């Protein structure tokens, strides 16, 4: 699905990623943890192609193709999805309109037919129910006046609608209470299957109580310094990042 | 990423072609004899000529206004031709079959088929080409219900009393510099009369086209809605692409008598000039309506063209309980400058007005909202709500707001809200991450910003406005 080889990247001349390697196979769930400023969100942005994130070195193949040869929207319609940490508002554009265009753009890219309004509405309602958002959210402007938790659930709703093959969740758990966390986790779990892969960026192990990862990686200083199974996350919860070495002592989990 | 936004907005001006049509055009220059010639060609009654000459004399004594937030080279009024008409118009065609086919082709190219059977059902069109009205469609059908829709030149002959009574009654001859000039030299325009209690059976519209070089277009529109009547009127405008600036100075007067409703919509797409700011139309227009008791006037405008726009469609809320509305989208890009807004003059009791103005600035353009809300001493319980939003695209453009509020009545309520926002890289990134290309993304964001105004446009025009901004209006119309 995704193969990252020796990735170096910077933002505004500040080097953030320094030789990151990661392989994600179909159906796998990878959690990425790490101290603040380690480059976790940068990884999500570099993979999705955000402007201002410069790749200096390394290569990434996505479904066997060179990811960096693709535009942002090409990556998206090829199945790469990023759930944003801070979803932005688009006033006046309804969620419904936005997602219908989005789903259809993706379908067109894949050579599938556009969904009719009725077909789309049916799917949108199902997705809304799945993340327990009232149906009037479809009519409201994209993220307009949504609470933090509603924005996060809205992101998962979009993920369910778009049916991507690689989902990158950037701190989709931050700022959520336990109930909302469970809704988000259920949304994610409902999409897990043998072909769809996930990269879950998080600070907290508690999300991993609900979404069982196949691998947990610790990202520090721009590269993956340790890889383990779910028990690694539990250890971080207990001990912080101090065991990685002296320089991480005191870094909060 | 801002570059991509710029590219997305950078569209060709599709109405920029010139039609090879033989014309009778006056030599350039303006003096009394030119005005006499215009009046003579139109076989106008003496009072009309006197009215024009008085306006001309007033104009000579007036100074060009300089308070608007726009800059442009001084206009040489002697370098403009004040009359140009297709030769084929010497004998006004009585039906479409008699209209010069080249003229018909011009409108087909602009996407306005004139053959009645091909037209959007339910829209009657008056076609103004340079200085003259070419043809008005669906007249017979309209006259069945007593609605008069014809050129103002024709109205002067057929309904002189109506014209004499109302012409200049809302925008007086000496109202302002450009209105005075228009009063002196106006050549044609549309005339609408809706009799008492009649709901006009179709949308009425006028399509203005400037074709000839060095000509100015000075049209005059007069709409009279008798008691309890109802009319929706649309206007559209385009011009060829040229290096020289051309002047368009129109006057529109609306009279809404007791309980009447007039809805007036504009999609303005005059040539805006090239990417370096060369050429384009100077659009200096005076539009005003008067509302008698319980009457309502609603202005909706989508302004995307012209090099310089100077325009304030206004309402005088004279009668008690009358209502004025102004919904506006003004998009400027390249080196365009727009200074536009409205005046709501509350004179009667319990008069209400709503102003929703959306300005979108891109490129090196400047976009100004200027609006006056005036509450007269007798306007007990009057209310105004103003919302004025600016959207900036890129970092070389400007958005300005000049609200004027004058209240002389302690029971009147005036509200003003204003916001300024930018199409952010973040919004664009979100859209693209969801698979939308940058053009589609910008369209969608701009469309969302304009939604409150677009929903006020009649269906047929909303489509045109959407195309203009390259915006899909799916889901927001209807």
């Amino acid at each position: 699905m995704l193969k990252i080889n020796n990735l170096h990247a910077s933002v505004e001349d500040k080097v953030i990623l320094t030789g990151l390697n990661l392989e994600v196979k179909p159906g796998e769930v990878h959690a990425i943890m790490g101290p603040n400023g380690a480059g976790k969100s940068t990884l999500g942005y570099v993979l999705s192609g955000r402007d201002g994130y410069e790749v200096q070195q390394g290569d990434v193949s996505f479904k066997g193709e060179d990811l960096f040869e693709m535009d942002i929207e090409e990556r998206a319609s090829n199945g790469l999805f990023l759930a944003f940490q801070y979803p932005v508002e688009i006033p006046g554009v309804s969620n419904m309109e936005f997602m219908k265009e989005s789903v259809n753009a993706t379908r067109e890219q894949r050579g599938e037919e556009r969904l009719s309004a009725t077909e789309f509405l049916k799917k949108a309602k199902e997705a809304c129910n799945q993340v327990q958002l009232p149906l009037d959210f479809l009519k409201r402007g994209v993220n307009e006046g949504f609470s933090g938790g509603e924005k996060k659930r809205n992101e998962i709703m979009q993920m369910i609608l778009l049916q991507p093959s690689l989902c990158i969740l950037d701190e989709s758990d931050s700022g959520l209470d336990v109930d909302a966390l469970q809704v988000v986790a259920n949304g994610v779990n409902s999409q897990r299957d043998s072909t769809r892969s996930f990269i879950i960026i998080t600070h907290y192990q508690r999300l991993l109580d609900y979404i069982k990862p196949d691998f947990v990686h610790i990202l520090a200083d721009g590269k993956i310094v340790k890889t383990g199974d779910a028990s690694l996350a539990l250890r971080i919860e207990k001990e912080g990042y101090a065991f990685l070495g002296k320089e991480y002592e005191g870094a909060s989990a | 990423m801002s570059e991509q936004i710029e590219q997305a907005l950078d569209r060709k001006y599709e109405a920029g072609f010139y039609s090879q049509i033989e014309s009778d055009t006056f030599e350039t220059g303006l003096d009394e004899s030119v005005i006499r010639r215009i009046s003579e060609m139109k076989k106008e009654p003496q009072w009309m000529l006197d009215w024009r000459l008085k306006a001309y004399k007033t104009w000579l004594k007036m100074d060009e206004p300089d308070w608007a937030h726009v800059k442009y080279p001084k206009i040489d009024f002697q370098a403009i031709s004040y009359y140009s008409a297709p030769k084929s118009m010497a004998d006004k065609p009585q039906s479409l079959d008699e209209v010069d086919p080249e003229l018909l082709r011009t409108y087909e190219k602009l996407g306005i088929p004139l053959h009645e059977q091909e037209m959007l059902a339910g829209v009657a069109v008056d076609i103004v080409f340079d200085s003259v009205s070419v043809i008005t469609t669906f007249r017979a059908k309209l006259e069945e219900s007593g609605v008069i829709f014809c050129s103002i030149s024709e109205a002067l002959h057929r309904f002189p009393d109506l014209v004499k009574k109302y012409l200049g009654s809302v925008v007086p001859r000496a109202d302002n510099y450009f209105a005075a000039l228009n009063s002196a030299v106006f050549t044609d325009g549309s005339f609408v009369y809706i009799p008492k209690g009649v709901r006009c059976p179709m949308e009425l519209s006028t399509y203005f086209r400037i074709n000839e070089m060095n000509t100015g277009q000075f049209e005059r529109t007069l709409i009279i809605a008798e008691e309890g009547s109802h009319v929706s009127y649309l206007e559209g405008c385009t011009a060829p692409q040229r290096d020289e600036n051309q002047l368009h100075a129109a006057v529109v007067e609306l009279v809404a008598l007791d309980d009447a409703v007039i809805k007036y919509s504009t999609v303005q797409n005059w040539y805006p000039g090239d990417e370096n700011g060369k050429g384009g139309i100077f659009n200096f227009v005076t539009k005003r309506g008067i509302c008698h008791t319980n009457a309502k006037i609603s202005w909706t405008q989508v302004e995307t063209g012209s090099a310089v726009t100077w325009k304030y469609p206004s309402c005088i809320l004279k009668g008690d309980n009358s209502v004025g509305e102004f919904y506006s989208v003004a998009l400027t890009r390249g080196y365009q400058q727009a200074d536009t807004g409205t005046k709501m003059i509350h004179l009667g009791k319990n008069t209400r007005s709503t102003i929703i103005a959306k300005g979108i600035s891109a490129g090196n353009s400047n976009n100004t909202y200027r609006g006056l809300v005036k509450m007269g001493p007798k306007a007990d319980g009057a209310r105004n709500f103003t919302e004025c939003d600016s959207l900036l695209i890129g970092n070389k453009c400007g958005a300005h707001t000049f609200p004027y509020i004058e209240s002389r009545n302690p029971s009147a309520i005036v509200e003003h809200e204003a916001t300024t926002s930018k199409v952010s890289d973040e919004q664009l990134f979100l859209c693209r991450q969801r698979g939308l290309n940058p053009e589609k993304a910008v369209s969608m964001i701009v469309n969302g910003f304009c939604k409150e105004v677009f929903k006020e446009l009649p269906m047929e025009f909303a489509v045109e406005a959407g195309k203009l901004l390259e915006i899909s209006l799916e889901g927001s119309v209807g």
Side-chain angles (χ1 to χ4, degrees):
Chain A
M1 175 71 66
L2 183 79
K3 200 164 181 190
I4 306 174
N5 177 33
N6 191 30
L7 181 62
H8 293 251
S10 65
V11 188
E12 289 169 2
D13 295 331
K14 194 175 164 215
V15 179
I16 310 279
L17 299 180
T18 55
L20 187 139
N21 296 295
L22 180 67
E23 187 175 0
V24 179
K25 294 195 173 119
E28 290 179 350
V29 176
H30 291 247
I32 296 192
M33 304 181 75
N36 286 327
K40 301 189 295 294
S41 292
T42 300
L43 177 62
Y45 287 143
V46 170
L47 293 178
S48 52
R50 183 163 191 170
D51 277 14
Y53 290 76
E54 298 285 331
V55 175
Q56 263 102 27
Q57 213 184 313
D59 50 78
V60 176
S61 81
F62 175 51
K63 294 178 168 174
E65 289 185 49
D66 185 350
L67 184 73
F68 297 142
E69 285 295 303
M70 300 180 214
D71 283 340
I72 303 171
E73 54 271 28
E74 269 180 279
R75 299 180 197 193
S77 43
N78 274 314
L80 188 148
F81 179 90
L82 175 68
F84 287 81
Q85 186 180 356
Y86 303 111
V88 66
E89 298 187 1
I90 309 180
V93 178
S94 73
N95 237 345
M96 175 86 173
E97 201 182 334
F98 177 68
M99 283 315 297
K100 186 159 156 264
E101 285 306 322
S102 169
V103 166
N104 282 330
T106 309
R107 291 178 70 93
E108 273 171 8
Q109 177 82 14
R110 291 176 189 159
E112 297 165 7
E113 269 183 49
R114 288 175 72 93
L115 287 179
S116 73
T118 336
E119 286 167 319
F120 176 78
L121 186 63
K122 192 164 163 269
K123 284 180 190 288
K125 280 181 177 168
E126 283 167 12
C128 242
N129 288 332
Q130 225 171 325
V131 294
Q132 297 181 16
L133 280 176
L135 291 181
D136 71 339
F137 272 72
L138 291 172
K139 289 187 200 150
R140 287 172 60 179
V142 177
N143 294 316
E144 208 180 343
F146 291 17
S147 73
E150 287 163 349
K151 285 182 182 172
K152 297 292 172 77
R153 279 189 273 165
N154 200 38
E155 292 291 289
I156 302 302
M157 196 259 289
Q158 294 176 22
M159 183 184 88
I160 293 171
L161 274 173
L162 283 167
Q163 296 285 298
S165 32
L166 173 65
C167 314
I168 305 167
L169 275 58
D170 188 3
E171 300 200 20
S172 293
D173 54 336
S174 64
L176 296 186
D177 61 33
V178 181
D179 292 337
L181 187 69
Q182 200 147 12
V183 171
V184 165
N186 290 345
V188 171
N189 287 331
S190 73
Q191 299 303 302
R192 281 180 80 162
D193 63 24
S194 62
T195 56
R196 185 169 292 129
S197 314
F198 292 83
I199 295 176
I200 295 173
I201 296 168
T202 180
H203 266 295
Y204 306 106
Q205 107 82 28
R206 61 172 191 164
L207 177 66
L208 307 178
D209 285 341
Y210 301 102
I211 306 171
K212 205 101 188 78
D214 297 304
F215 299 94
V216 174
H217 308 278
I218 297 173
L219 181 60
D221 275 351
K223 55 180 113 167
I224 285 169
V225 294
K226 197 165 180 65
T227 296
D229 57 14
S231 66
L232 181 59
L234 287 165
R235 184 171 173 196
I236 294 166
E237 171 113 309
K238 230 157 94 189
E239 301 174 25
Y241 293 105
F243 69 89
L244 294 173
K246 267 224 159 321
E247 65 263 45
Y248 299 106
E249 267 178 48
S252 64
Chain B
M1 203 173 280
S2 303
E3 231 168 77
Q4 280 151 344
I5 306 181
E6 296 285 319
Q7 279 168 8
L9 279 164
D10 188 24
R11 296 177 304 273
K12 240 182 90 216
Y13 183 73
E14 288 183 349
F17 62 89
Y18 170 72
S19 310
Q20 286 294 343
I21 288 175
E22 257 197 286
S23 288
D24 283 320
T25 304
F26 280 14
E27 59 281 15
T28 61
L30 179 61
D31 57 24
E32 248 189 62
S33 72
V34 169
I35 295 164
R36 285 177 191 281
R37 266 173 81 195
I38 292 172
S39 189
E40 201 176 305
M41 287 195 71
K42 298 187 163 295
K43 303 184 180 73
E44 287 176 355
Q46 185 62 37
W47 67 265
M48 191 70 251
L49 174 62
D50 295 344
W51 198 83
R52 287 173 179 278
L53 291 173
K54 275 186 203 155
Y56 177 63
K57 283 184 183 121
T58 315
W59 178 72
L60 284 175
K61 283 181 249 159
M62 294 172 95
D63 290 321
E64 205 171 324
D66 58 2
W67 44 261
H69 193 78
V70 294
K71 280 198 195 100
Y72 57 90
K74 201 144 180 59
I75 299 170
D76 180 359
F77 290 96
Q78 297 305 331
I80 296 171
S81 163
Y82 289 82
Y83 187 86
S84 176
K87 271 216 161 75
S88 58
M89 293 301 297
D91 301 301
K92 182 161 171 120
Q94 292 306 305
S95 74
L96 278 167
D97 301 336
E98 296 172 26
V99 174
D100 179 353
E102 187 57 37
L103 260 172
L104 293 180
R105 268 195 292 280
T106 300
Y107 287 93
E108 262 160 44
K109 266 168 98 173
L110 292 168
I112 308 157
L114 293 181
H115 290 286
E116 292 188 3
Q117 64 274 23
E118 292 167 15
M119 290 194 39
L120 285 166
V123 184
V125 190
D126 184 25
I127 292 295
V128 177
F129 191 84
D130 288 330
S131 304
V132 290
S133 164
V134 176
I135 194 90
T136 311
T137 62
F138 286 113
R139 287 171 53 152
K141 185 159 186 238
L142 288 168
E143 280 176 22
E144 279 169 29
S145 50
V147 171
I148 302 164
F149 182 34
C150 64
S151 75
I152 199 145
S153 308
E154 188 183 334
L156 255 173
H157 293 283
R158 288 177 59 203
F159 316 99
D161 296 343
L162 278 175
V163 178
K164 197 171 178 180
K165 182 172 174 190
Y166 290 108
L167 190 77
S169 69
V170 191
V171 180
R173 273 192 311 252
D175 187 77
N176 68 70
Y177 189 75
F178 294 107
L181 176 64
N182 174 287
S183 301
V185 303
F186 75 90
T187 44
D188 220 333
S190 302
F191 175 82
V192 176
Y193 177 82
I194 315 290
K196 191 168 167 179
V198 170
R199 179 176 270 267
C200 186
M202 52 176 75
E203 301 271 353
L204 306 182
S205 80
T206 302
Y207 197 92
F208 296 101
R209 174 81 177 164
I210 297 178
N211 191 54
E212 271 315 303
M213 189 128 148
N214 298 327
T215 54
Q217 192 175 56
F218 305 93
E219 86 275 5
R220 188 123 195 155
T221 300
L222 177 58
I223 298 179
I224 302 152
E226 285 280 5
E227 275 174 46
S229 69
H230 208 290
V231 62
S232 172
Y233 177 92
L234 337 165
E235 65 171 1
C237 6
T238 56
Q241 205 155 333
R242 288 212 176 89
D243 287 347
E244 296 79 29
N245 295 113
Q246 278 179 287
L247 178 63
H248 172 253
V251 171
V252 174
E253 294 178 280
L254 310 183
V255 180
L257 294 164
D258 294 357
D259 301 300
V261 178
I262 302 177
K263 185 176 172 62
Y264 193 105
S265 314
T266 304
V267 172
Q268 186 264 104
N269 186 28
W270 294 117
Y271 178 55
D274 70 9
E275 65 276 13
N276 300 313
K278 199 166 186 193
I281 301 288
F282 292 157
N283 189 35
F284 299 152
V285 172
T286 306
K287 292 182 169 176
R288 195 176 302 153
I290 188 161
C291 285
H292 292 266
T293 306
N294 297 324
K296 175 176 165 181
I297 290 179
S298 180
W299 298 100
T300 306
Q301 61 172 21
V302 177
E303 302 279 317
T304 62
S306 298
V308 182
T309 297
W310 179 99
K311 178 182 169 190
Y312 316 90
S314 305
C315 298
I316 299 169
L317 303 171
K318 184 181 173 212
D320 293 348
N321 310 314
S322 59
V323 177
E325 293 174 340
F326 175 74
Y327 301 99
S328 169
V329 166
L331 170 78
T332 54
R333 56 200 169 96
Y335 285 85
Q336 280 177 280
Q337 306 173 70
D339 192 304
T340 184
T342 184
K343 289 190 268 185
M344 292 291 173
I345 315 288
H346 293 251
L347 301 177
K349 291 187 187 61
N350 299 315
T351 45
R352 280 163 295 146
S353 64
T354 305
I355 300 171
I356 310 273
K358 305 271 182 181
I360 302 149
S361 346
N364 293 286
S365 70
N366 264 303
N367 202 322
T368 301
Y369 168 80
R370 187 184 302 276
L372 168 69
V373 177
K374 191 171 183 172
M375 300 296 187
K378 289 181 188 150
D380 293 338
R383 293 198 66 148
N384 159 266
F385 173 75
T386 300
E387 181 186 323
C388 182
D389 300 321
S390 308
L391 184 70
L392 296 165
I393 301 174
N395 51 17
K396 286 175 286 186
C397 52
H400 316 271
T401 305
F402 298 98
Y404 305 78
I405 296 170
E406 288 174 33
S407 185
R408 292 191 192 157
N409 188 309
S411 68
I413 299 172
V414 179
E415 288 177 73
H416 185 98
E417 286 180 9
T419 65
T420 302
S421 52
K422 272 189 86 164
V423 171
S424 69
D425 288 355
E426 272 178 286
Q427 287 174 326
L428 205 51
F429 179 57
L430 169 63
C431 293
R432 297 184 68 191
Q433 212 301 305
R434 298 298 184 255
L436 305 175
N437 65 41
E439 294 79 35
K440 180 77 205 165
V442 171
S443 290
M444 196 177 248
I445 294 166
V446 172
N447 176 27
F449 178 74
C450 302
K451 190 176 249 172
E452 281 166 282
V453 174
F454 281 164
K455 72 178 199 302
E456 297 297 327
L457 283 173
M459 184 78 144
E460 293 81 359
F461 250 30
V463 173
E464 192 177 333
K467 273 192 219 145
L468 262 183
L469 297 179
E470 270 196 3
I471 283 166
S472 155
L473 282 161
E474 250 181 303
S476 64
V477 183

